[in-house]
Amino acid sequence: MQKKASLPTFTADELVVVNNAVAMAEELVSNHYKMSASQWLHPKYDIKTLADLNPNEIVDGPFAQIIRYEGKPDGGILGSSSYDFYKVCIQDHAILEVLQAQPEIALFPFGLYVVTHELVHIVRFSRFLQSFNATELEKRTEEHRVHRITRTILDSVKTPGMHAVLTYYGTWHSPIDGLKSIP
Ligand SMILES: [Zn+2]
C-alpha cells in the first residue's frame, strides 16, 4: 500500500486528456461488443484517478487496478438483491513514470489503451467470460487475450501516437493491472 501524498497525480490539463480518453474508450468498447446503452450500464462501474482513490485502491507497478465491490442492497436500489460494482482505479504515478521515460508515448493514446483494456475486462467479467477467482495461469492467459482484444479495437483508431503505444505493448508480457475483490 502506498502513501498517496507522496505520489504524483495528473494535473488539471492531464485530467481533461484522461477524461477524453475514457469517453472514447467507452464508445469503442460498446461498439466492439455491439452493446446498447442500457446493456452498457450493467455492470455498473466507475473510473477514478489517483486523487479520488482510497489508500487500499493504490498499487505500485500496474497502470490500473480493477476493484470489484460486491454490492449489497442499501435501500436505494429498488428491486435489486445484489449487484457487483467495478471501480477502475487509474494509477496516475505509474502512467506518469512511463510518459517520463518514453518521450514517444503520449498521454491520450496511452490512457486510451489502458482504459479500453480495463473496460474489456469488465465486459468479460459481466458476461462470465472471465472469473475473478481464476487461477494464476488462467489470469495470465486472460491478460494476453485482453491485450489482443484491446489491440483489435485500437488498430483502426487514427489517433496520433497510437502506433507508438501499440508498439510499446507489442512486447509487453506482464499484467498491466491488478484485480481485487472487496466484499
Ligand atoms: Zn488486464
Side-chain angles (χ1 to χ4, degrees):
M1 201 182 295
Q2 279 267 359
K3 280 213 182 60
K4 190 158 131 185
S6 62
L7 297 172
T9 53
F10 293 134
T11 63
D13 284 350
E14 287 167 340
L15 281 175
V16 171
V17 174
V18 171
N19 279 330
N20 288 337
V22 167
M24 186 166 175
E26 286 174 333
E27 198 182 315
L28 288 169
V29 173
S30 56
N31 285 346
H32 179 79
Y33 286 102
K34 302 184 174 36
M35 291 184 296
S36 68
S38 66
Q39 284 173 314
W40 193 218
L41 292 174
H42 298 280
K44 297 196 177 303
Y45 70 92
D46 208 352
I47 299 175
K48 296 286 183 194
T49 57
L50 188 61
D52 294 321
L53 300 185
N54 303 318
N56 66 349
E57 296 170 334
I58 300 169
V59 282
D60 217 5
F63 304 131
Q65 168 163 245
I66 299 179
I67 303 200
R68 180 181 64 173
Y69 287 95
E70 289 169 71
K72 298 172 190 67
D74 55 11
I77 295 114
L78 287 173
S80 77
S81 48
S82 83
Y83 63 96
D84 286 338
F85 181 85
Y86 298 94
K87 188 166 171 184
V88 177
C89 306
I90 306 276
Q91 312 291 315
D92 305 19
H93 52 293
I95 293 175
L96 289 169
E97 213 177 284
V98 171
L99 299 187
Q100 213 156 43
Q102 315 267 348
E104 74 281 11
I105 303 281
L107 180 57
F108 182 81
F110 195 80
L112 184 63
Y113 189 100
V114 172
V115 177
T116 301
H117 177 110
E118 303 312 324
L119 292 177
V120 169
H121 274 302
I122 290 176
V123 170
R124 292 179 58 80
F125 283 133
S126 71
R127 295 186 171 186
F128 305 106
L129 297 167
Q130 178 179 6
S131 162
F132 237 86
N133 307 314
T135 64
E136 277 312 309
L137 177 64
E138 286 167 341
K139 278 183 188 159
R140 266 209 303 282
T141 309
E142 177 69 10
E143 184 67 5
H144 281 292
R145 200 175 286 130
V146 171
H147 272 300
R148 249 197 337 268
I149 298 168
T150 305
R151 175 174 282 273
T152 304
I153 292 173
L154 295 180
D155 253 344
S156 55
V157 171
K158 302 272 177 280
T159 288
M162 198 71 246
H163 183 72
V165 171
L166 292 178
T167 304
Y168 176 81
Y169 277 114
T171 54
W172 193 269
H173 293 297
S174 51
I176 66 161
D177 41 30
L179 302 174
K180 190 151 92 179
S181 199
I182 296 184

